[in-house]
Amino acid sequence: VSGEVTASLATLKSIKEKMLADEEGRAVLAARPRITSSILPELAALPPNTLGYHYQTFLAKHDITPDSRADVSFVDCPDLAYVMTRYRETHDLTHCILGMPTTMVGEVAVKWVEAFQLGLPMCVGGAVLGPLRFGPKQREQYQKLMPWAVEMGKKANFLLAVHWEERWEQDFEQLRRE
């Protein structure tokens, strides 16, 4: 809810414009695919080197499901509501592709990437304020990881424009390099 309430229409429109500026992002917006648990058995049957296999393995390892995200309720425009939905449904894919666990440090690293890519206040807040709760070991990990996360956020292809559903069978390492 906080993500929706703090996301201005201008921020969501900016994200949508970034998606529209990318051929793959335009295809995502046109098709409006959804990522749900119904796909997981198919992904589990893919070869171990594929994105789909890595994604379902990541979810199983961390005991999470694509269905655990709440529906978007506070964004009235259907196009912008889909953009927020897409962000929610691909968040764990961002963890997976970056190789970040669902620990506090991993979450903050992903929030840095999302903050630079999306500009959502929730992501910026998580990136900036999350480390305040770190203990000594977490701070040490974070200090090593933060420069990389910031660089990924600035330099990586726009992750919300990736049509993940068309890439389940793609080689995971090749996709990460891309």
Side-chain angles (χ1 to χ4, degrees), residues 47-122:
N49 66 313
T50 62
L51 167 65
Y53 184 87
H54 276 265
Y55 175 59
Q56 70 80 28
T57 300
F58 175 87
L59 293 176
K61 176 182 177 184
H62 296 288
D63 195 27
I64 51 182
T65 169
D67 301 331
S68 63
R69 309 278 182 214
D71 290 336
V72 173
S73 301
F74 300 102
V75 179
D76 293 330
C77 173
D79 290 342
L80 300 182
Y82 178 74
V83 168
M84 180 60 83
T85 297
R86 185 69 174 173
Y87 161 66
R88 287 182 179 171
E89 290 181 354
T90 62
H91 173 79
D92 293 324
L93 272 160
T94 301
H95 272 276
C96 180
I97 202 75
L98 294 174
M100 288 294 108
T102 58
T103 62
M104 282 289 293
V105 174
E107 193 63 50
V108 170
V110 168
K111 288 299 176 209
W112 274 112
V113 173
E114 293 173 342
F116 278 101
Q117 292 223 338
L118 306 172
L120 290 169
M122 174 187 67

Side-chain angles (χ1 to χ4, degrees), residues 94-176:
T94 301
H95 272 276
C96 180
I97 202 75
L98 294 174
M100 288 294 108
T102 58
T103 62
M104 282 289 293
V105 174
E107 193 63 50
V108 170
V110 168
K111 288 299 176 209
W112 274 112
V113 173
E114 293 173 342
F116 278 101
Q117 292 223 338
L118 306 172
L120 290 169
M122 174 187 67
C123 299
V124 174
V128 172
L129 300 175
L132 297 176
R133 297 185 56 193
F134 288 171
K137 282 186 176 183
Q138 291 169 315
R139 273 193 288 282
E140 185 179 322
Q141 292 173 327
Y142 175 69
Q143 287 174 346
K144 293 176 184 172
L145 194 56
M146 185 197 168
W148 171 84
V150 169
E151 182 180 355
M152 287 297 104
K154 290 179 179 180
K155 293 184 177 180
N157 291 341
F158 191 57
L159 294 173
L160 215 57
V162 175
H163 201 249
W164 302 105
E165 299 82 356
E166 298 294 323
R167 293 172 173 253
W168 294 133
E169 296 181 25
Q170 185 173 352
D171 181 82
F172 184 71
E173 292 304 324
Q174 187 273 331
L175 179 60
R176 289 180 85 187

